[in-house]
Every structure is written in structure tokens, then in C-alpha cells.
Amino acid sequence: MSRRLVLASASPARLALLRQAGLAPEVVVSDVDETTVTAARVSEQVALLAAAKATAVAGREDDALVIGADSLLEFRGQAMGKPADAQEARERWRRMAGRSGTLHTGQALFDVRGGAVESRDVVVTSTVVHFASPTPGEVEAYLATGEPLAVAGAFTLDGLGAPFVRRVEGDPASVVGLSLAALREQLRRRDTTITDLWRR
């Protein structure tokens, strides 16, 4: 019998990725205050955030595979989550244009059985993103859509921001919000194949 898959994230991009991969997760949003989670390195911070989200939701489950995830862009040593407002997003694009950053995505897979967490598996996928140099008019048009205010780093690879990314080095799905390749390996470590979870 297929296990229940629960996504501990409100991200529509992560939900869409999982659905495109043939999965049908239930969404249970965690109540984690992300501002309270910090770490010395950005890659460590996304791992802690992903685990915190999975922990919060796993505590409400009896039997499920719970996925927690979080992404941050590291640009010149600074962690960039969602911009606070359009001005911050505008400034980011001024700095990022023509340059590169690393998008870190942490994802946690918790196996809950009988109301207890049987195993915790946390991985981080890091992908280098090379940005184009959008014109000021393009940046303003992009900001007007509201999209860059809702995503880490103020850009997307699966939406209106895609033309402003020249290329990526690594897993493009992780830039969208979740590494499907890493999830497959996490499931394999729980003696589950991703095809076992395909919706029938």
C-alpha cells in the first residue's frame, strides 16, 4: 500500500514539481518562524529550516512521509530569502545582474509511523545560477507582477523570471524549490521507490 506523502510547505512551485513527477502530496503548512533559524553558513541554514518545517508537521501526523524544504540564494556571502518589498527586490537585481549566485535548497524527509518519527533524512542541493542583465524597464515590469516578492532571491526559474537567468550549473528543479533527484535517493534509503508513490 502506498504511503501518504505530506508536503510541509505552502510553496505552489514545490507542489507543482511533485505533481509533475507523478506524486500527489497533501499540503500541511508548518508554523515555523523562519526568522528564528540562523546558521553560520547558508547551506546549514536551509538544512535547519527544512528540518524545522518537517518536525513541526510530523508532530501532527500518525503515518506519513513528510517533506520539509527551504531555499535561500547565497550571493557574495549573503543569504537572500524573499525580499521585503519592491525596493529591496529592485536593489537585488541591480547587484545580481550579469553575475552569479548559489541557490541552496534544503529538504528533509521524515518517516512517521505510529505517531513517532522513525527516521530523519536531511540533504542540501546547491546550484549555481548565472543571471542575465535585464534592462531597467524589464526589471520594473518584473517587479510590477509581484512574482519576485514571493520567492527566495527575487527570481524564479519556472515563471516570469526565467528569461533573466542565463543558465544554471546543477539541478534546475532544486532552484524551483525541491530536488526530485535527491528526493528519489532519500526515498530509496527508506526502501521506497519514487514510482511506488505515483498516483494511480
Side-chain angles (χ1 to χ4, degrees), residues 107 123 125 171 179-187 189:
Q107 61 193 61
V123 298
T125 304
D171 184 346
S179 172
L180 296 170
L183 176 61
R184 174 177 169 268
E185 292 302 321
Q186 288 177 300
L187 290 167
R189 289 193 282 273

Side-chain angles (χ1 to χ4, degrees), residues 23-182:
L23 308 176
E26 299 173 32
V27 175
V28 180
V29 181
S30 74
D31 54 1
V32 172
D33 180 357
E34 298 182 24
T35 63
T36 65
V37 180
T38 59
R41 299 176 56 162
V42 181
S43 57
E44 294 170 354
Q45 188 170 348
V46 293
L48 290 173
L49 283 164
K53 292 177 181 181
T55 298
V57 172
R60 311 174 203 168
E61 298 295 330
D62 183 60
D63 191 291
L65 292 165
V66 178
I67 301 171
D70 197 84
S71 299
L72 289 171
L73 177 69
E74 182 176 2
F75 183 76
R76 297 191 170 182
Q78 179 184 357
M80 293 185 176
K82 297 175 185 176
D85 52 33
Q87 181 55 39
E88 184 176 344
R90 182 180 293 110
E91 176 60 21
R92 286 188 186 182
W93 269 103
R94 187 191 69 76
R95 295 173 58 208
M96 296 187 311
R99 298 183 174 90
S100 304
T102 302
L103 197 289
H104 301 284
T105 293
Q107 61 193 61
L109 181 69
F110 284 19
D111 189 347
V112 184
R113 297 175 189 263
V117 178
E118 188 173 279
S119 73
R120 296 170 172 82
D121 189 337
V122 184
V123 298
V124 175
T125 304
S126 300
T127 302
V128 178
V129 181
H130 298 272
F131 297 102
S133 296
T135 66
E138 287 174 327
V139 170
E140 291 307 314
Y142 186 38
L143 293 175
T145 69
E147 182 182 89
L149 301 182
V151 289
F155 78 98
T156 62
L157 198 59
D158 62 329
L160 298 173
F164 308 130
V165 175
R166 289 189 293 113
R167 63 188 175 92
V168 300
E169 295 175 41
D171 184 346
S174 72
V175 179
V176 176
L178 191 75
S179 172
L180 296 170

